[in-house]
Amino acid sequence: MDATRELLDAGTFHQATVEEVAEKAGVSRATLYQHFPSRLDLVDTMCDTFAENPALVSVRESVELPDLDEALEETIGDTIRFWSSEHAILRQLYGASAVDPAAHDLVERQLSDRRGEMQKLVRRLDEGGILRSGLERGQALAHLLVVTSFGTYSELHQEGLSDAKLTRQLQADARLLLLGKS
């Protein structure tokens, strides 16, 4: 997994052969194939480790915070911390998702998981009566998905915003879009 992570981080995994991955890991090709029948399995298994990322664990907890304003703020902050902690690898996987089935599957699973967590938050905001007047849950979900997307994070990060400034900006955007507050 460390070898796969290093190759993804360096942007060379998609060009690397299984032999190169095995060499970087310090194992034989046969040993690698015993544990991972394909390159897709390597990526898939490595991506399963994202579930253990403390920031991603915090997203699931933040969505359930009793104070709804705090739940929104913390969910966005935790999402940014996750994107930041895995940025180099996710940039490679998102970039390769159009041509690499493993990367595409990861992006789709990640979007589905994030959508599920954000749906919970939007439902809570709506049931708590703080969702902006006239905003339907579907619209609120779409706004929240854009605000918390890897693409949004990546674009703003590329513009030179620190994670702290980026978080504050996206929290303010979400408050305005979802709650009608600045």
Side-chain angles (χ1 to χ4, degrees), residues 141-152:
L141 177 62
H143 288 313
L144 191 54
L145 287 171
V146 167
V147 167
T148 62
S149 74
F150 180 71
T152 298

Side-chain angles (χ1 to χ4, degrees), residues 99-117:
V99 294
D100 186 325
H104 176 77
D105 289 348
L106 162 76
V107 169
E108 289 301 314
R109 278 195 322 271
Q110 182 278 322
L111 178 59
S112 177
D113 291 347
R114 188 166 52 86
R115 177 182 294 278
E117 293 302 318

Side-chain angles (χ1 to χ4, degrees), residues 72 79 131 161 163:
L72 179 60
T79 301
L131 206 56
L161 286 179
D163 286 344

Side-chain angles (χ1 to χ4, degrees), residues 69 72-73 76 130 132 147 167-182:
D69 286 318
L72 179 60
E73 299 271 323
I76 292 169
I130 69 167
R132 191 182 75 207
V147 167
T167 298
R168 286 191 301 275
Q169 179 62 57
L170 293 178
Q171 287 168 332
D173 293 347
R175 279 192 306 276
L176 187 60
L177 289 167
L178 302 175
L179 310 179
K181 302 177 186 177
S182 53

Side-chain angles (χ1 to χ4, degrees), residues 3 20-28:
E20 290 169 326
V21 175
E23 182 180 319
K24 185 152 195 71
V27 299
S28 72

Side-chain angles (χ1 to χ4, degrees), residues 77-91:
D78 292 336
T79 301
I80 299 309
R81 280 188 287 284
F82 173 69
W83 294 139
S84 178
S85 68
E86 302 289 354
H87 184 250
I89 291 166
L90 289 169
R91 187 180 66 237

